[in-house]
Amino acid sequence: MAQVTVSNEQEEVSKDVKDNAVAKEDLIVEEQSGEIKKDDGPQTGEIVEEKKMDGEEREASLSTTVIVRSGTFKEESNLLSDLKEYEKAALNEMRLLLEDAIIANTLLFNDPEKPKTSEKQVEKSDKSSENGEKQSQEGKEKGNSSVKEGKEEIPLNQTEEMGQKKNESTEKEGKEEEKPKNQIESEKVEKHDGEEKGKISECNEKENNHVIVEESSGEIDKDISLWGVPLLPSKGETGTDVILLKFLRAREFLVNEAFEMLRNTLQWRKELKIDSILDEDFGADLNSAAYMSGVDREGHPVCYNVYGVFGNDEIYNRMFGTEERCEKFLRWRSQLVERGIQKLNFKPDGVSSLVQISDLKNTPGPARKELRLATKQAVGLLQDNYPELVARNIFINVPFWYYAFNALLSPFLTQRTRSKLVFARPAKVTETLLKYIAAEEIPVQYGGFRRENDSEFYNEYEVQEVTVKAGSIGTVEIPAPEVGNKMIWDLTVLGWEVNYGEEFVPEDKGSYTLIVQKGRKMGWQEGSIHNSFTNKEPGKVVLTIDNTGSFTKKRVLYRYKTKNI
C-alpha cells in the first residue's frame, strides 16, 4: 500500500466554484474547481461543490470530499414506468401513427427522382403550350392586321368570302342550340387553344406519375429500421420506444412534429445512403480530426473532436476549398456519429447516447468563414437527424473569441441542446473532464491515464487521490520490499504549476538514494506522468510534489502496480 505524506496540516477546504454565463444566450460555462470523492463521481449535468470538514477529518492528509449536487441537465429514463402520463399518451399516439404509416406504405415520401422526370415532362408541355399560345397570338395579330388593311381597300371576292363565313357561323350556332349539352361541351374542349392543351397534358402527366409512384410503392416494408432497431411497433421490439422517445423529446412531446421529424430523418438517410456510410473512406486528414475513446462515469461512449487539425493551412484548404469539399466534411461528421451509434444500446435500461468532447486548441479563428459555415451546417444536420443522441457536449481549451462565436450560434440551438453545453478554459481541462469522466478513461494528453493498447493497467487498479495544500510539499510512496520488483505508476496534478521529482530510497541507510526523474517545474499544460523503475535492493519509490511556490491547493491523482520480473 502506498503511503502519502503532506508536510503541514491541511487547511479547511474552501468552496471554489465558479459559474459563468456566456453572452445573452444561457450558454452554460461550467468551470468549477472542486474535489471529487473516490467512487462517488458527479452525475451528468451536475455542478460539484465542496462542504467544509470538521474535526479530525480536516487534519487528514488524504482529502475526503462531500459532493453537493445541483443539476443543469439530467438525462431522462426510457423505462415506461418512469414516464409521466402525458409522455405515455404521446408515445402511444406516436406508435399508432407510425404503425399506420408503415402498413399504408406512406412513411417515406415519394421517390425524389421521379418527380424530377415529371418536372421535365411538365416543362416540355409548358413549352409546347407556350408555342401554341405564340402561334395563336401570331395568327390573331395577322388577322387583325389584314382587317386593318381591309378598312382601306377590301376586294369584292374577299367581302363575299367574309359574308359566307358569317352565314356559316350563324348556322353553326343554330345547330349548337339543337345539340345536347354534353356534345357542345366536348366540342368546346376540342376547340381549346394551345394554352388549354398544355394544361390538360400537364394534368395527365401528373396523374400518370402518381400512378407510377403507387405501383412502385406497392410492397410494404415491415422491416424498416433506424440505427439497427425495427420501427414497426407491432413487432414488440423494446428499442422502438427508445427511438420514438428521442424524437418526442426533441420536439417537446408534440406528436405530429416528432412524427414529421422521424419521416424527414428516414427520407434524408435514404437519399444520402447513410446506412452504407460506414464503408466510406474520407482520408487521413479527417480521420485524425476525431476518434472514440473510453466512456464517461455513466457508461456513455466518448467521442473526441480535435479541431486543431484544421489550423494547418494546407489541410484546411483541402477540406474547405470548395462546396463539394464542405459536403464531404458534413458527410464525414455523419459517419463519425454513426460509428458512435454502433457502441450504443437502445434497450430501455441501456446507454443510448454519446458524450462529445471538442478540443479547440489551435483551432482556426472566426476569420475562417468556410469552417464557421460548415460547423453551423453540421450543428443543424446533427440536431435534425440525430435527436437526443448526445448526452453532453464538452468544449475544452476554449479561446476567448469562441464565447462570442457561440453567442451567434446559440439562436440556432434548442434550449434543450444549450443545456448540455459545457466550456472549459485551457487551465481547467483536466478538472472539468474529471467531473464527468474517471481519470482512467481520460486520454493522457488531457491529464488522464488512458493510453491506447495499455497492457499494464486495467480497471482493477484503482486511482487514488491526495490534496497538497498551498505552500507545502506532498509525497507518494510506493513500497518495493523485494529485490527485482518492477514498479509502474501514473500520476497527474490538476493545474500542475508545481515542482515534481522521483527517486528510489533504499531500506539500507548506507546505500545511496537513486534519482529516477530529476525534479523540474511542471506547467499547467503538462499531461500525466507515466514511469517505471526496477529495484536491485529493498526500498521504496518516492514521488514528490512541491507546492511551496503556490497559493492554491493541488489535487494529485495517481495509481501504481508492482510486479515481479
Side-chain angles (χ1 to χ4, degrees):
M1 182 69 184
Q3 296 180 2
V4 182
T5 61
V6 181
S7 60
N8 298 319
E9 294 182 355
Q10 292 291 329
E11 289 183 341
E12 214 173 278
V13 181
S14 58
K15 183 176 179 181
D16 189 14
V17 178
K18 295 180 182 179
D19 297 325
N20 298 323
V22 181
K24 309 174 186 176
E25 302 294 341
D26 297 331
L27 289 175
I28 301 169
V29 181
E30 296 189 18
E31 294 178 351
Q32 303 91 356
S33 60
E35 299 171 3
I36 300 177
K37 184 178 178 181
K38 191 62 193 170
D39 296 331
D40 192 13
Q43 302 297 320
T44 299
E46 296 172 345
I47 300 172
V48 180
E49 298 179 0
E50 299 173 0
K51 282 187 176 178
K52 294 182 180 180
M53 295 180 291
D54 303 313
E56 296 178 356
E57 291 178 350
R58 185 185 307 168
E59 300 175 358
S61 60
L62 284 174
S63 64
T64 304
T65 311
V66 180
I67 306 299
V68 179
R69 297 181 173 90
S70 56
T72 55
F73 172 79
K74 179 67 178 177
E75 194 172 16
E76 296 91 341
S77 170
N78 289 317
L79 295 172
L80 289 178
S81 57
D82 294 336
L83 298 180
K84 298 176 182 178
E85 289 303 320
Y86 77 91
E87 294 174 341
K88 291 180 182 178
L91 178 59
N92 287 331
E93 187 177 347
M94 184 85 162
R95 285 175 186 161
L96 293 174
L97 282 175
L98 184 58
E99 183 84 20
D100 291 344
I102 293 176
I103 297 301
N105 210 7
T106 59
L107 184 60
L108 293 176
F109 303 107
N110 291 336
D111 191 341
E113 294 179 0
K114 288 176 182 175
K116 288 180 182 177
T117 57
S118 65
E119 284 173 7
K120 290 179 181 178
Q121 293 172 356
V122 170
E123 287 176 3
K124 287 181 181 178
S125 66
D126 288 341
K127 286 180 181 179
S128 63
S129 64
E130 287 174 5
N131 292 334
E133 288 175 2
K134 286 180 181 179
Q135 290 175 0
S136 61
Q137 236 175 351
E138 288 173 2
K140 287 178 182 178
E141 288 173 1
K142 286 181 181 178
N144 291 336
S145 62
S146 65
V147 170
K148 286 179 182 178
E149 291 172 1
K151 283 181 181 178
E152 296 174 1
E153 186 177 354
I154 304 176
L156 181 63
N157 59 353
Q158 192 171 352
T159 56
E160 288 176 356
E161 287 175 4
M162 291 174 65
Q164 289 176 359
K165 286 181 180 179
K166 284 183 181 180
N167 292 333
E168 288 175 3
S169 63
T170 53
E171 287 175 3
K172 285 179 181 178
E173 287 176 3
K175 289 179 181 178
E176 283 177 359
E177 289 177 2
E178 296 174 2
K179 291 178 183 178
K181 276 186 177 181
N182 56 357
Q183 192 173 354
I184 295 172
E185 288 175 358
S186 64
E187 288 179 357
K188 285 181 180 180
V189 170
E190 291 174 358
K191 293 178 182 180
H192 273 318
D193 57 10
E195 181 181 1
E196 294 297 327
K197 288 179 181 178
K199 290 181 180 178
I200 292 170
S201 63
E202 182 179 350
C203 293
N204 290 335
E205 285 176 2
K206 287 183 178 179
E207 289 175 2
N208 292 334
N209 288 330
H210 182 67
V211 171
I212 291 169
V213 170
E214 286 181 349
E215 289 176 356
S216 65
S217 61
E219 295 183 2
I220 299 174
D221 184 8
K222 292 186 178 181
D223 296 326
I224 188 168
S225 63
L226 179 60
W227 306 321
V229 178
L231 289 181
L232 187 64
S234 59
K235 284 193 172 185
E237 178 67 37
T238 56
T240 305
D241 285 347
V242 176
I243 300 295
L244 297 186
L245 283 170
K246 288 185 178 296
F247 284 88
L248 286 167
R249 284 173 177 139
R251 291 295 179 264
E252 298 180 348
F253 285 88
L254 299 175
V255 178
N256 290 334
E257 292 186 15
F259 181 70
E260 195 63 24
M261 183 184 188
L262 175 61
R263 291 187 69 198
N264 290 334
T265 295
L266 294 171
Q267 188 68 27
W268 171 78
R269 294 179 68 86
K270 179 182 177 182
E271 292 175 8
L272 273 70
K273 300 179 180 178
I274 300 298
D275 288 336
S276 61
I277 201 171
L278 291 175
D279 300 327
E280 299 180 22
D281 183 10
F282 294 98
D285 292 337
L286 285 175
N287 290 336
S288 64
Y291 58 93
M292 303 290 299
S293 180
V295 296
D296 73 350
R297 294 182 184 273
E298 297 177 342
H300 299 100
V302 181
C303 177
Y304 291 85
N305 305 279
V306 188
Y307 284 97
V309 171
F310 303 118
N312 183 296
D313 290 339
E314 185 179 347
I315 294 177
Y316 183 89
N317 292 331
R318 284 204 301 266
M319 292 300 100
F320 302 103
T322 63
E323 184 178 349
E324 183 180 352
R325 291 172 184 172
C326 289
E327 290 295 328
K328 178 182 176 182
F329 172 80
L330 295 177
R331 192 162 180 81
W332 165 75
R333 288 296 306 171
S334 298
Q335 186 195 62
L336 189 62
V337 178
E338 293 290 330
R339 283 181 179 171
I341 290 173
Q342 300 298 305
K343 299 179 179 292
L344 299 181
N345 180 356
F346 290 103
K347 293 182 179 178
D349 57 348
V351 176
S352 60
S353 56
L354 307 163
V355 169
Q356 290 274 357
I357 296 178
S358 299
D359 184 0
L360 303 182
K361 184 178 181 180
N362 298 325
T363 190
R368 296 284 196 175
K369 181 181 177 182
E370 295 85 359
L371 178 60
R372 189 174 72 248
L373 292 176
T375 301
K376 179 180 173 182
Q377 290 175 346
V379 169
L381 181 147
L382 299 178
Q383 191 170 255
D384 292 341
N385 299 290
Y386 297 98
E388 300 302 311
L389 281 178
V390 177
R392 188 160 296 280
N393 248 316
I394 303 175
F395 295 84
I396 58 176
N397 291 313
V398 178
F400 285 106
W401 63 262
Y402 196 80
Y403 292 104
F405 171 69
N406 262 284
L408 298 175
L409 186 64
S410 182
F412 300 97
L413 306 176
T414 64
Q415 177 60 37
R416 187 177 179 84
T417 300
R418 289 199 297 267
S419 70
K420 300 178 183 180
L421 301 180
V422 178
F423 295 86
R425 292 182 286 110
K428 297 286 186 179
V429 170
T430 307
E431 188 174 352
T432 300
L433 293 180
L434 279 170
K435 294 173 185 175
Y436 309 103
I437 308 171
E440 55 268 30
E441 295 289 343
I442 299 175
V444 291
Q445 62 267 34
Y446 301 126
F449 299 149
R450 184 177 179 84
R451 293 175 176 83
E452 294 301 322
N453 304 317
D454 186 0
S455 60
E456 298 292 350
F457 289 100
Y458 304 97
N459 293 333
E460 61 264 25
Y461 293 98
E462 183 181 11
V463 175
Q464 303 179 57
E465 179 177 337
V466 60
T467 299
V468 181
K469 77 169 191 177
S472 67
I473 298 175
T475 60
V476 175
E477 298 179 0
I478 305 173
E482 299 178 4
V483 177
N485 288 148
K486 183 177 181 180
M487 290 146 288
I488 308 164
W489 61 89
D490 287 324
L491 183 142
T492 190
V493 179
L494 303 192
W496 284 101
E497 296 299 336
V498 297
N499 287 304
Y500 175 76
E502 302 170 348
E503 60 185 7
F504 176 75
V505 181
E507 283 185 3
D508 186 355
K509 294 183 180 179
S511 298
Y512 293 100
T513 298
L514 301 176
I515 296 176
V516 179
Q517 179 175 309
K518 188 178 179 179
R520 66 184 180 93
K521 179 74 173 181
M522 304 286 284
W524 59 264
Q525 72 277 10
E526 299 281 353
S528 60
I529 297 292
H530 178 75
N531 209 350
S532 64
F533 178 79
T534 303
N535 66 322
K536 296 180 180 179
E537 59 180 315
K540 61 183 177 181
V541 172
V542 180
L543 314 178
T544 303
I545 303 97
D546 185 350
N547 196 32
T548 54
S550 175
F551 295 101
T552 60
K553 63 185 178 181
K554 299 295 182 180
R555 290 175 57 198
V556 181
L557 303 177
Y558 68 95
R559 67 180 177 181
Y560 72 94
K561 66 180 288 188
T562 303
K563 65 180 183 179
N564 295 322
I565 297 178

